[in-house]
Amino acid sequence: MDFKLDKAHQLQQELFRSFAETEIRPIAKEMDENEALDLDMLKKAAKYGLFGIPYSKEYGGAGSDTLAYTLCMEEISKVDASTGVTISVHTSLCCSCINNFGTEEQKQTYLRPLVDGSKFGCFGLTETNAGSDVQGAQTTAVKDGDDWIINGSKIFTTNSGFADTCILFALTDRTVPASKGLTAFIVDLKNTPGITVSDNIERMGIRAASNCIVTYENVRVTPDRVLGPLGKGFKIAMTALDTGRIGIAAQALGIAQGALNEAIKYGKERKQFGKPINAFQNTQFKMAELQTKIDAARLMVWRAACAEDNHEPYGPLAAMAKLMASDVANQVTRECVQFMGGYGYCREYPVERMMRDAKITEIYEGTSEVMKMVISGSMKLK
Ligand SMILES: Cc1cc2nc3c(=O)[nH]c(=O)nc-3n(C[C@H](O)[C@H](O)[C@H](O)COP(=O)(O)OP(=O)(O)OC[C@H]3O[C@@H](n4cnc5c(N)ncnc54)[C@H](O)[C@@H]3O)c2cc1C
């Protein structure tokens, strides 16, 4: 057991940190206010290889691992959680489905441009009546000759405002529950007639990220776009969400560490009662508690990532990491706003944005309640 990053991972961490500091920090506030990501920055991130970290070089990826991907998620989200979720949905939800379940031809055709950063991906599972309970899915795909005709609507599809490729889940058999009737499709969002993408849904946090309703009206897809066996869409979605939760846990970790760093910097400068507010023991003890919680969450994120990298069962470990890290992110950001007083509450400093951004980590890719369902379902006497 080794709790230290090896040299290769340390170097990757430095690279991610440097990209976040130089390319994202200067525009993070503006992107939040404009409710839009800077697409040039995303293209640069793609050129840096940030959109294909855990995927094989054979398909144009960086040939690294899930642990490196969590380092990227933490470093990017320390500065901007909207960019964090953009990378996460692309990497864990979209690319992993094709990587794990695609044929060799699908990997060459659809995965390669995603992991080499020339295209962006998204994942359409949630519908208005199917959130925590996917069984409520109503989007259908009906056979027409060899093709499939898709009808329905997906809500909250992150990245859909600019993404090229969507992993879409539709019922190919309505006579059985969605867990057996859903099939995954690889859909070209930009060039397929019948697809409408709404404006960005207005949100409390991660406001720069793209998050829209995607409507499918008589959308024709060819059979080469069916991903995995018919009726195995639920399994494909759940497998993607297991790995996705590691990325979201790392995003939460980054938000927490980013906010604490900001508060510590502020507390060195801010003087009240004749001394810097960092000099009060109350403050020092609070900071110590928060850093301890963040470090505990980081170990859980790394444990889940290493389990995935070692091909060990990791679903419940990912759920624990997300449950813990998202709770820590909410506690830490709230405390950091409090610590900075009125200035923490103002837009001039990033901690209010971080507090708004932290909330979603307890909701998407499975709420904290759903995480407890996953964890309790896997518990054994130890
Ligand atoms: C900003 C954002 C980005 C998103 N990105 C994507 C995306 O890219 N792709 C995608 O497919 N989806 C995406 N989602 C959807 C997200 O995963 C869902 O919102 C989430 O899973 C919860 O579903 P819901 O919103 O329908 O809430 P509901 O399922 O209606 O839950 C409401 C409340 O009830 C609780 N609850 C539900 N069932 C139970 C139960 N059995 N026991 C106890 N409590 C329960 C929940 O925990 C929650 O507190 C995104 C959502 C948001 C807000």
Side-chain angles (χ1 to χ4, degrees):
M1 192 175 288
D2 189 350
F3 294 104
K4 266 190 13 234
L5 294 175
D6 61 23
K7 193 77 196 152
H9 284 97
Q10 284 175 31
L11 288 173
Q12 282 169 299
Q13 189 181 41
E14 279 168 29
L15 178 92
F16 304 141
R17 189 171 296 166
S18 141
F19 184 86
E21 289 298 331
T22 54
E23 303 292 341
I24 310 179
R25 188 181 288 286
I27 56 172
K29 178 171 182 283
E30 191 188 332
M31 292 196 298
D32 177 63
E33 278 167 9
N34 295 343
E35 297 185 36
L37 289 164
D38 181 323
L39 288 182
D40 288 338
M41 179 276 289
L42 283 190
K43 283 180 194 151
K44 259 188 216 164
K47 271 204 185 135
Y48 249 69
L50 305 194
F51 282 80
I53 293 168
Y55 298 107
S56 160
K57 287 188 176 161
E58 196 189 336
Y59 300 115
S64 195
D65 54 15
T66 310
L67 180 60
Y69 164 63
T70 66
L71 299 176
C72 174
M73 283 301 298
E74 180 178 350
E75 292 306 323
I76 301 293
S77 304
K78 263 185 187 172
V79 170
D80 181 40
S82 289
T83 308
V85 71
T86 304
I87 295 173
S88 168
V89 166
H90 169 98
T91 307
S92 324
L93 296 190
C94 180
C95 295
S96 80
C97 291
I98 310 178
N99 190 58
N100 291 332
F101 295 95
T103 61
E104 185 54 33
E105 201 183 334
Q106 286 174 326
K107 290 184 194 177
Q108 292 297 347
T109 313
Y110 305 116
L111 183 63
R112 176 174 287 284
L114 289 165
V115 301
D116 76 11
S118 40
K119 287 190 173 177
F120 295 111
C122 63
F123 177 89
L125 177 65
T126 305
E127 302 182 12
T128 44
N129 290 319
S132 302
D133 182 9
V134 180
Q135 301 299 334
Q138 286 168 358
T139 298
T140 55
V142 175
K143 202 109 202 249
D144 182 42
D146 285 341
D147 295 346
W148 292 89
I149 307 293
I150 300 176
N151 278 289
S153 181
K154 298 286 176 177
I155 191 166
F156 297 133
T157 308
T158 301
N159 295 353
S160 55
F162 59 86
D164 305 274
T165 305
C166 183
I167 305 299
L168 170 74
F169 297 88
L171 290 169
T172 45
D173 184 349
R174 293 167 81 181
T175 63
V176 292
S179 55
K180 295 200 168 92
L182 273 181
T183 296
F185 293 86
I186 308 169
V187 176
D188 181 344
L189 269 196
K190 285 189 173 153
N191 301 306
T192 315
I195 297 180
T196 319
V197 181
S198 75
D199 288 341
N200 214 359
I201 300 169
E202 291 184 353
R203 275 162 284 124
M204 166 183 173
I206 57 160
R207 295 195 322 161
S210 158
N211 191 260
C212 312
I213 298 170
V214 186
T215 308
Y216 299 82
E217 208 180 330
N218 294 324
V219 172
R220 179 176 291 274
V221 295
T222 46
D224 58 305
R225 288 179 173 275
V226 174
L227 178 64
L230 289 183
K232 291 288 178 208
F234 183 78
K235 181 178 172 20
I236 294 174
M238 294 306 123
T239 306
L241 286 168
D242 276 344
T243 185
R245 287 166 188 158
I246 301 177
I248 298 305
Q251 181 198 28
L253 190 57
I255 298 170
Q257 189 66 67
L260 189 58
N261 291 353
E262 292 297 327
I264 291 171
K265 272 191 278 177
Y266 178 84
K268 278 187 189 156
E269 305 297 326
R270 176 70 174 168
K271 286 194 176 137
Q272 288 292 282
F273 299 95
K275 45 181 168 174
I277 56 172
N278 272 3
F280 298 122
Q281 192 179 55
N282 163 54
T283 305
Q284 292 164 355
F285 281 12
K286 179 56 73 185
M287 296 299 172
E289 265 175 37
L290 298 180
Q291 189 61 66
T292 304
K293 286 181 183 177
I294 295 172
D295 279 23
R298 185 176 292 108
L299 291 178
M300 294 189 78
V301 171
W302 288 1
R303 177 176 74 158
C306 291
E308 182 175 358
D309 287 335
N310 294 332
H311 309 287
E312 292 160 6
Y314 64 89
L317 301 183
M320 283 186 192
K322 181 176 181 290
L323 179 66
M324 168 95 173
S326 59
D327 183 38
V328 168
N330 280 278
Q331 284 180 42
V332 170
T333 52
R334 202 175 54 240
E335 294 279 8
C336 289
V337 168
Q338 182 68 20
F339 174 69
M340 291 173 64
Y343 299 93
Y345 194 69
C346 291
R347 294 254 158 124
E348 185 187 345
Y349 291 93
V351 291
E352 66 80 28
R353 167 167 54 87
M354 292 166 164
M355 182 175 156
R356 288 187 282 108
D357 288 347
K359 184 60 205 168
I360 190 61
T361 63
E362 292 183 316
I363 297 173
Y364 56 20
E365 301 201 21
T367 63
S368 293
E369 292 73 24
V370 168
M371 293 308 97
K372 288 176 198 172
M373 286 159 70
V374 173
I375 297 160
S376 59
S378 74
M379 280 169 65
K380 292 189 199 119
L381 290 179
K382 293 196 177 183

